[in-house]
Amino acid sequence: MTRRLTLLLSAFEAALAFAIGIAIPLVPLTILWAAQYGFGPDWLIFWRAAVDSWLIGHGADVRLALDPVTAAALGAGPETSVVVVTIAALGFALLTALLGLRAGSRIFETHHPILGTLTSAGVFGALSLLATLSALHESARPSIWQGALLPTVAFAVGLALGLLREWAWNRSDETAERVRQRVHRLIPELPRIVLTGSLRSGAAAASITLLVSAVALAVALVVSYAQIIRLYESLHPGVAGSIALTAGQLALLPNLIIWTASWFVGPGFAIGLGSNVSPLGTSLGPIPALPIFGAIPEGSSAFGFVGLLVPIVAGFLAGAATRGGLRRELGEEGSGRWMLVAALGGGVTGGLVMGLLACASGGAAGPGRLVSVGPDPVAVGLVSAVEFALAIGIGFAAGRPLRRRGDLDDAESADGLGAADDLDARTAAERRGALVPAGAEATAAASSSVLARRAGRSSAAEASTDEKPMRKSAGARAASADAPTRPGADAGSGADVDAEPIVVHDPAADRDASVDVHADTGPIDTVRSGASFLDSLGSLRGRLRRPGAERRARDAASTSAGEPTSGEEKRDDAGRATGGRSAQDDLDTGPVDLPR
């Protein structure tokens, strides 16, 4: 794809993502303008409301100027005429990031991904700035720099993730090795291992907590379905109003999941000053009339403290999942103290993730008591860091300790496992061609005697009849002259045939011969249990070698006795062109190498 097409595609992806984000609040508001207001008011009012909602969803501050009647209805004093809304309805930001992820995947398919990424981010930023400027009004004024920057950041994060995902799926081993070596040069080995374990365990613990919170929120909505419906009916929003109200609540779903995770961690969240929703109990005052708030538990629960086990179990599972790889990389010597450092780092990582999410999900949602809505990010971050660190440490400590290599060698010597070593060495040498299974020798000897008798009869028959000239093509004579002498065929006499089983050298023999039987830290008896199976495979390998060896010995005996081979008798026009070779000669009837 050329640069011009890359520019056009990138710009189109950015415009499409912007249009989808704006259309989600604009379409319900437009339906409300047409159905309830009869196209009377100016449509630009609804356009500005849609843009303000989209900007609030990305965290941009919007300053609202309230008249005295509206301020009194919202519970604010007459002196409160200006309200700054700082809470972010994270559903819009999540949607923008997902659209950026899709755009990044599409841009990666072009021949200029860096140019396309920069173009797409620039076009999205320009459109965000234009939308922010178009929504400026004295009654609602969004922050210009936040309106241009924050949506662009969300889209750029999605673009970067999309590019990284496609690169990870399409990268070659050489590219991955170059990146790995560059990272190894930048960060020393021991700090890199500990840092990787900390990031993995902390991110996994936070992710499991959020997943459980999403499931718990869905269960709470189902259980409180009747209360939510009653709140809908009390508002009397109508069809268009119900659509707009539902769209706004869907935009708050990521916030509610983070609030539920804060409830499981312990500090809980607030909906207004003086309120608190935590496992210890619920204390609420006047709250906004959103139907989804009907799922908030009321009063105190005798089993509310059970929710505190969610981050503990999540940290334990994360620690147990990352323990094996971390122990293998650190080794046995000195792994205890470094795993303790990794557990503390995992707690710090999980606490930072939870604290940042709590900070992004809260803020001011209105005047009066609503200036503080959401969880306390500092409390959530500190408590979750302590819980995750303890749980990850327990997960690291759980499980069977690794066995030292010296202890494993002593155990093998005590159990007399030298036979297992000999068995592996014999099998590897057999694959190289140094050894032949016992069953193959007897089979080859029997076939050699049969071929010798047949060759003797052929020589006697030729002596009693007139000698006929053999017709050989030039290609066949050249092939016979160049072909190496096969074992079991004597060039001077066809009566004395000493055929040996033909063994094929396997390129994987060196790899199999270097297998370290001491590397397995599992039960040692597993090695000995395969001895009888390998012995039975030896005889089977000999029987599979017999057809190829017999055919080669028969052809060699016939050639020495002066008889035409099967390839010369049945050749066709194509066989004459190829020097006496037929399609049957091309078939691979040699030994079959079975997997161990």
Side-chain angles (χ1 to χ4, degrees):
M1 184 176 291
T2 62
R3 293 178 180 271
R4 182 174 300 178
L5 291 178
T6 301
L7 292 175
L8 292 177
L9 175 64
S10 304
F12 176 76
E13 291 289 342
L16 181 63
F18 173 81
I20 292 175
I22 291 291
I24 289 177
L26 182 61
V27 170
L29 291 177
T30 302
I31 295 175
L32 184 66
W33 167 67
Q36 188 167 347
Y37 294 98
F39 304 98
D42 188 3
W43 181 78
L44 292 178
I45 298 176
F46 297 90
W47 163 260
R48 289 194 297 267
V51 173
D52 291 338
S53 302
W54 184 74
L55 293 176
I56 288 175
H58 292 86
D61 297 342
V62 177
R63 184 178 61 85
L64 302 177
L66 304 178
D67 57 87
V69 177
T70 306
L74 294 176
E79 69 279 357
T80 306
S81 59
V82 177
V83 176
V84 179
V85 178
T86 60
I87 192 172
L90 296 178
F92 288 102
L94 180 62
L95 177 64
T96 301
L98 293 177
L99 293 174
L101 181 68
R102 174 186 174 275
S105 301
R106 295 284 301 275
I107 293 173
F108 184 84
E109 298 175 359
T110 64
H111 297 290
H112 310 282
I114 303 300
L115 176 63
T117 301
L118 296 177
T119 302
S120 186
V123 171
F124 193 90
L127 293 176
S128 300
L129 177 61
L130 292 177
T132 304
L133 294 176
S134 66
L136 295 178
H137 193 266
E138 59 181 8
S139 61
R141 183 180 182 87
S143 174
I144 298 177
W145 71 270
Q146 290 181 355
L149 178 63
L150 295 181
T152 308
V153 169
F155 185 72
V157 169
L159 284 174
L161 292 178
L163 291 175
L164 290 176
R165 184 185 66 175
E166 294 297 327
W167 176 82
W169 286 354
N170 296 278
R171 63 183 171 89
S172 60
D173 295 337
E174 292 79 6
T175 304
E177 186 63 26
R178 287 198 302 268
V179 174
R180 188 180 298 108
Q181 291 178 358
R182 184 173 299 178
V183 173
H184 289 182
R185 287 194 300 267
L186 292 176
I187 306 176
E189 181 180 6
L190 189 58
R192 184 186 70 252
I193 294 173
V194 175
L195 180 61
T196 302
S198 301
L199 294 177
R200 288 177 178 175
S201 58
S207 300
I208 295 173
T209 304
L210 291 172
L211 178 62
V212 175
S213 302
V215 175
L217 177 62
V219 172
L221 291 176
V222 172
V223 172
S224 305
Y225 176 75
Q227 179 66 19
I228 294 175
I229 293 300
R230 281 196 295 268
L231 289 175
Y232 262 109
E233 294 175 349
S234 64
L235 293 176
H236 303 287
V239 176
S242 298
I243 294 175
L245 184 60
T246 303
Q249 293 179 105
L250 289 176
L252 288 174
L253 272 182
N255 300 64
L256 298 178
I257 293 174
I258 298 173
W259 295 358
T260 307
S262 303
W263 189 90
F264 282 128
V265 169
F269 58 94
I271 305 179
L273 293 175
S275 63
N276 185 35
V277 182
S278 67
L280 301 179
T282 301
S283 175
L284 291 175
I287 61 175
L290 288 178
I292 200 170
F293 286 160
I296 296 176
E298 298 179 356
S300 59
S301 175
F303 300 97
F305 65 92
V306 178
L308 298 175
L309 295 177
V310 171
I312 301 297
V313 175
F316 175 80
L317 294 177
T322 57
R323 171 186 175 274
L326 188 60
R327 290 289 294 270
R328 284 192 299 270
E329 293 179 355
L330 288 175
E332 186 68 20
E333 297 296 335
S335 62
R337 62 177 181 272
W338 288 113
M339 291 193 73
L340 177 60
V341 174
L344 294 177
V348 172
T349 302
L352 285 175
V353 172
M354 297 299 297
L356 291 176
L357 291 177
C359 180
S361 65
R369 297 179 64 254
L370 297 180
V371 294
S372 177
V373 176
D376 184 2
V378 177
V380 171
L382 291 177
V383 175
S384 58
V386 173
E387 293 175 346
F388 287 156
L390 292 176
I392 292 173
I394 296 173
F396 284 165
R400 185 182 65 181
L402 294 178
R403 300 182 62 181
R404 297 176 183 268
R405 184 182 181 86
D407 298 339
L408 186 60
D409 294 338
D410 296 340
E412 290 179 354
S413 300
D415 293 341
L417 290 181
D421 299 342
D422 296 339
L423 178 62
D424 283 351
R426 183 176 183 275
T427 305
E430 188 177 295
R431 291 171 64 86
R432 291 196 303 269
L435 295 177
V436 178
E441 297 178 357
T443 304
S447 61
S448 299
S449 61
V450 173
L451 292 175
R453 289 195 298 270
R454 291 179 180 176
R457 288 196 299 268
S458 300
S459 300
E462 286 183 357
S464 61
T465 57
D466 295 336
E467 183 177 357
K468 296 181 179 180
M470 296 179 60
R471 295 178 299 174
K472 284 189 176 182
S473 63
R477 289 194 298 270
S480 300
D482 295 338
T485 303
R486 298 182 180 179
D490 190 0
S493 174
D496 187 11
V497 179
D498 187 12
E500 294 181 358
I502 300 173
V503 184
V504 176
H505 174 70
D506 189 358
D510 297 334
R511 183 182 69 252
D512 294 338
S514 62
V515 174
D516 187 7
V517 298
H518 304 288
D520 187 12
T521 59
I524 305 175
D525 292 338
T526 306
V527 180
R528 292 186 295 178
S529 63
S532 60
F533 176 70
L534 293 176
D535 290 339
S536 63
L537 285 182
S539 60
L540 180 60
R541 288 159 64 109
R543 289 194 299 270
L544 291 175
R545 285 191 178 98
R546 184 175 62 184
E550 184 177 353
R551 186 183 63 81
R552 294 186 181 92
R554 184 174 66 252
D555 292 343
S558 301
T559 303
S560 62
E563 293 182 356
T565 60
S566 59
E568 293 175 351
E569 293 173 353
K570 298 180 180 180
R571 66 189 179 192
D572 50 4
D573 295 338
R576 295 188 184 95
T578 56
R581 295 181 59 190
S582 62
Q584 184 177 0
D585 293 329
D586 293 333
L587 295 177
D588 186 10
T589 58
V592 178
D593 191 14
L594 294 176
R596 293 176 55 189

